[in-house]
C-alpha cells in the first residue's frame, strides 16, 4: 500500500490534522516524509492512532501512551500498569453506580420532600464530604 497524505490519515482516523501534528511533536507518530508541504505517513500509522485513541479512552496520558511503544514502534504494554488502570476503572464504575442509584431513588422517592428522605440526605452528606462526585487525588501508579 502507498503512503497516506496527512489529510487522508486525519479523515480515516477521525482526528483533525492538528492532532496529528501534535502527536508528532510528542513523538507518538512519525511521518515518512513529505510530498510538497504535506506530511506523508505509512498506512501502519492508522493502527497506532487507534491504539492511542484506546489509551486516551482508558484515561492514560499521552506520556504514558508514548511509553507503551517500543523503539521499533510496536506496542510494548506494561501489564501491571494496565491492571492498575482496570482496578481504577472498577472503583470509578462502583462510585458512579452508587451515584446513579442514589439519583434514581431521589427521582422516584415517595417522601413529601427530598429533605425528609433519609437516602437523599445521606447522598447530600456524602457529596459534602467529597465521597460522591468529587475527583479523588490519584495514587501513584506502579512503574
Amino acid at each position: 500500500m502507498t503512503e497516506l497524505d496527512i489529510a487522508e490519515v486525519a479523515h480515516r482516523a477521525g482526528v483533525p490534522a492538528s492532532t496529528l501534528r501534535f502527536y508528532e511533536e510528542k513523538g507518538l507518530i512519525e511521518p515518512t516524509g513529505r510530498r510538497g508541504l504535506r506530511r506523508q505517513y505509512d498506512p501502519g500509522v492508522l493502527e497506532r492512532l487507534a491504539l492511542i485513541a484506546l489509551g486516551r479512552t482508558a484515561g492514560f496520558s499521552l506520556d504514558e501512551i508514548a511509553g507503551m511503544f517500543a523503539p521499533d514502534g510496536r506496542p510494548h504494554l506494561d501489564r501491571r500498569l494496565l491492571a492498575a488502570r482496570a482496578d481504577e476503572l472498577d472503583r470509578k464504575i462502583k462510585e458512579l453506580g452508587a451515584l446513579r442509584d442514589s439519583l434514581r431513588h431521589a427521582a422516584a422517592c415517595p417522601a413529601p420532600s427530598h429533605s425528609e428522605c433519609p437516602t437523599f440526605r445521606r447522598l447530600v452528606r456524602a457529596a459534602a464530604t467529597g465521597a460522591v462526585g468529587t475527583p479523588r487525588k490519584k495514587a501513584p501508579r506502579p512503574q
Side-chain angles (χ1 to χ4, degrees):
M1 188 175 203
T2 182
E3 291 184 334
L4 302 173
D5 179 87
I6 189 170
E8 180 68 17
V9 172
H11 174 73
R12 288 191 190 184
V15 297
S18 59
T19 297
L20 298 176
R21 290 188 292 272
F22 179 70
Y23 286 174
E24 184 181 333
E25 286 175 23
K26 297 289 278 179
L28 291 165
I29 62 172
E30 188 176 323
T32 56
R34 292 182 180 267
R35 180 168 291 135
L37 297 176
R38 299 173 72 86
R39 291 170 170 84
Q40 301 292 302
Y41 295 91
D42 181 272
V45 77
L46 295 171
E47 182 176 334
R48 190 172 180 110
L49 289 168
L51 289 169
I52 293 167
L54 180 61
R56 297 292 289 156
T57 300
F60 289 106
S61 70
L62 290 179
D63 289 335
E64 289 171 322
I65 293 168
M68 293 181 185
F69 291 100
D72 66 1
R74 291 189 207 178
H76 179 71
L77 306 176
D78 180 335
R79 294 174 193 272
R80 289 181 302 149
L81 182 63
L82 297 177
R85 180 54 49 96
D87 291 344
E88 190 177 314
L89 289 171
D90 282 340
R91 284 189 296 277
K92 189 64 169 174
I93 289 167
K94 185 177 177 182
E95 289 173 10
L96 290 172
L99 180 58
R100 177 205 58 219
D101 294 346
S102 297
L103 292 173
R104 288 201 191 282
H105 173 81
C109 181
S113 157
H114 286 102
S115 62
E116 297 174 48
C117 172
T119 302
F120 184 74
R121 291 172 60 86
R122 276 194 307 275
L123 174 64
V124 171
R125 280 193 305 275
T129 63
V132 174
T134 305
R136 293 184 182 164
K137 192 173 185 178
K138 291 183 181 179
R141 293 198 185 113
Q143 295 294 325

